[in-house]
Amino acid sequence: MAHKLLIDAGNTRVKVALMDSEGHLEPWLNVNYDELIEHRVPDNIESVWIASVSSEERNNRLHQWLEGFDKAIIRVTTEAQAFGVTNSYSEFKNLGVDRWLAIVGAFNEQPKATVIIDAGTAITVDWVDQEGQHLGGWIAPGVHLMKHSVINRAPGVFVGYEGDDHWGKAHQLGQSTPDCLLNGCVNTFVGLVRQAIAVSETELDWFDYRILFSGGSIPLLPNDLKRRGEVRSELVLQGLACYARQS
């Protein structure tokens, strides 16, 4: 049976899913770019659908992985309107394709007022109402980016500190400069999520709405916030599937 290969090429990781002839998605890979080479593209692929927000160098790695594939490769880009969703940007192409597809995927799964919070390299928040109108959003530095922006600007304060494998904790105070930084970054993220909920309920007057979480930093949220929503790591692939099914 022939399949379509759907690729969500992010800033740091690549998510890949297979879609069968009936339009059903099966997640396959969630790897960093260096790990792609360890996996062979299946023989029964009839077309490849790509959504990429990655750098040129990482896009080149992706295309090297697909080298030898001689059938259609379709790169999906942001549109002003599609699949019942209307983009709020006046310059619609400036909305990242990952955000666009996450909105499309969420709305086509359930046409309901929704807040989408993706916490990866950057933290993005997008609002879409029950009519499919994208209302706008926010972009902020991700937790890792916040941490390293401070370390890079004040390297003398963090001499000998190896922070890539360490993360702060919500609702906790630090008793060392590294711990204060780690906890400060996490609690900044937590504050942004709480503010997104507050805006939804006080400014937009939403009470019957969905909160969808994705991204590697979501486990850092306290349980009371995680319980407010659903963790949905495949939203971009779901939006990409709308395009692949249409073809």
Side-chain angles (χ1 to χ4, degrees):
M1 179 185 295
H3 286 75
K4 295 176 182 178
L5 193 71
L6 278 56
I7 301 174
D8 169 15
N11 286 303
T12 57
R13 298 187 71 79
V14 184
K15 296 176 184 175
V16 185
L18 299 170
M19 191 172 78
D20 66 22
S21 58
E22 296 181 351
H24 300 132
L25 274 185
E26 179 185 347
W28 179 35
L29 300 177
N30 185 343
V31 296
N32 64 45
Y33 284 83
D34 292 332
E35 294 170 326
L36 263 180
I37 197 66
E38 300 172 11
H39 304 272
R40 184 173 176 273
V41 177
D43 293 327
N44 61 339
I45 300 301
E46 65 178 20
S47 59
V48 174
W49 297 74
I50 300 174
S52 177
V53 294
S54 191
S55 66
E56 181 178 356
E57 186 269 334
R58 285 174 174 160
N59 277 326
N60 287 338
R61 287 199 219 176
L62 179 59
H63 285 285
Q64 287 170 6
W65 182 60
L66 294 170
E67 190 174 2
F69 181 78
D70 58 359
K71 298 176 184 175
I73 297 178
I74 301 97
R75 182 181 289 265
V76 172
T77 57
T78 302
E79 297 187 274
Q81 189 171 24
F83 304 102
V85 176
T86 302
N87 192 329
S88 71
Y89 276 29
S90 56
E91 299 291 336
F92 67 88
K93 291 182 180 179
N94 291 340
L95 179 69
V97 68
D98 55 340
R99 293 170 62 196
W100 169 247
L101 290 175
I103 296 165
V104 167
F107 182 77
N108 278 267
E109 176 186 74
Q110 186 177 359
K112 184 175 182 178
T114 303
V115 185
I116 302 167
I117 301 173
D118 181 37
T121 302
I123 301 165
T124 62
V125 186
D126 282 287
W127 285 262
V128 58
D129 69 17
Q130 69 274 11
E131 303 298 328
Q133 176 63 55
H134 175 228
L135 303 178
W138 297 337
I139 303 173
V143 175
H144 185 272
L145 196 57
M146 282 190 266
K147 176 174 69 175
H148 280 278
S149 67
V150 175
I151 292 173
N152 292 338
R153 291 295 295 269
V157 179
F158 299 96
V159 171
Y161 170 60
E162 299 294 336
D164 277 345
D165 296 328
H166 298 86
W167 302 98
K169 295 181 179 179
H171 303 163
Q172 291 201 14
L173 310 182
Q175 277 83 44
S176 68
T177 297
D179 284 346
C180 287
L181 172 62
L182 294 174
N183 292 348
C185 292
V186 169
N187 282 285
T188 298
F189 169 41
V190 172
L192 185 146
V193 173
R194 293 196 191 281
Q195 181 66 2
I197 292 172
V199 166
S200 302
E201 296 178 359
T202 60
E203 302 299 322
L204 299 178
D205 201 27
W206 285 0
F207 288 93
D208 182 20
Y209 68 101
R210 297 197 299 165
I211 303 172
L212 303 182
F213 294 122
S214 64
S217 294
I218 294 304
L220 301 174
L221 290 174
N223 287 332
D224 68 300
L225 283 181
K226 283 188 282 193
R227 283 194 293 265
R228 291 291 307 269
E230 309 166 51
V231 178
R232 302 298 301 278
S233 61
E234 312 299 333
L235 279 178
V236 174
L237 290 170
Q238 286 182 220
L240 196 56
C242 291
Y243 283 85
R245 290 189 192 103
Q246 187 185 51
S247 70

